[in-house]
């Protein structure tokens, strides 16, 4: 993991933790795996999938009963990210407050990271 000893890779707000616990309980899964993949108009997109079995290469973050696994290829892109859950009149969903993002598309569905 691309991390700092003693510091979690991502943080989870209480709203996000409550939603993750609800999904884990309702669906009977072990948690959610987050990652990134190529796609969208800005170049990269976040992914979220239910997890029934923890992969030994995943970074596991547990907070307030919620369990999030970070896919190995996404760890360096997600370090320092805050996962939140927002609800409005028109939509609700997880929001990633990621300090590593340098640009995002207008619709908010895809992101761009600094060139290495």
């Amino acid at each position: 993991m691309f991390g700092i000893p003693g510091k979690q890779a991502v943080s989870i707000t209480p709203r996000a933790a409550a939603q993750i616990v609800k999904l884990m309980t309702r669906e009977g899964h072990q948690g959610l795996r987050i990652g990134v993949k190529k796609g969208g108009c800005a170049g990269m997109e976040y992914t979220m999938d239910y997890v029934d079995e923890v992969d030994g290469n995943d970074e596991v973050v547990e907070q307030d009963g919620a369990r999030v696994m970070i896919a190995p290829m996404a760890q360096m892109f997600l370090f320092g990210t805050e996962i939140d859950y927002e609800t409005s009149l028109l939509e609700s969903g997880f929001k990633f407050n990621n300090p590593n993002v340098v640009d995002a598309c207008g619709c908010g569905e895809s992101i761009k990271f600094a060139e290495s």
Side-chain angles (χ1 to χ4, degrees):
M1 175 65 193
F2 298 88
I4 298 171
K7 181 173 169 51
Q8 291 194 65
V10 299
S11 60
I12 307 168
T13 67
R15 287 187 305 248
Q19 184 65 22
I20 292 167
V21 168
K22 185 188 304 183
L23 292 171
M24 288 170 56
T25 303
R26 183 175 65 204
E27 302 291 335
H29 298 290
Q30 295 294 311
L32 294 176
R33 178 175 291 119
I34 59 173
V36 293
K37 68 176 185 175
K38 289 186 179 195
C41 49
M44 301 287 279
E45 298 175 318
Y46 292 112
T47 62
M48 291 188 86
D49 297 298
Y50 291 114
V51 175
D52 293 320
E53 192 172 304
V54 178
D55 183 316
N57 294 317
D58 285 344
E59 178 73 16
V60 179
V61 176
E62 294 184 84
Q63 189 173 318
D64 300 326
R67 184 178 302 117
V68 171
M69 282 65 99
I70 305 171
M73 295 302 290
Q75 292 174 5
M76 68 183 202
F77 297 111
L78 296 174
F79 186 77
T81 298
E82 176 191 66
I83 302 170
D84 195 9
Y85 188 81
E86 294 183 348
T87 303
S88 71
L89 290 173
L90 298 175
E91 64 184 3
S92 61
F94 289 99
K95 180 177 179 184
F96 295 86
N97 299 311
N98 187 336
N100 305 304
V101 171
V102 296
D103 197 12
C105 67
C107 67
E109 293 294 322
S110 67
I111 51 175
K112 182 178 180 180
F113 298 101
E115 302 285 330
S116 300

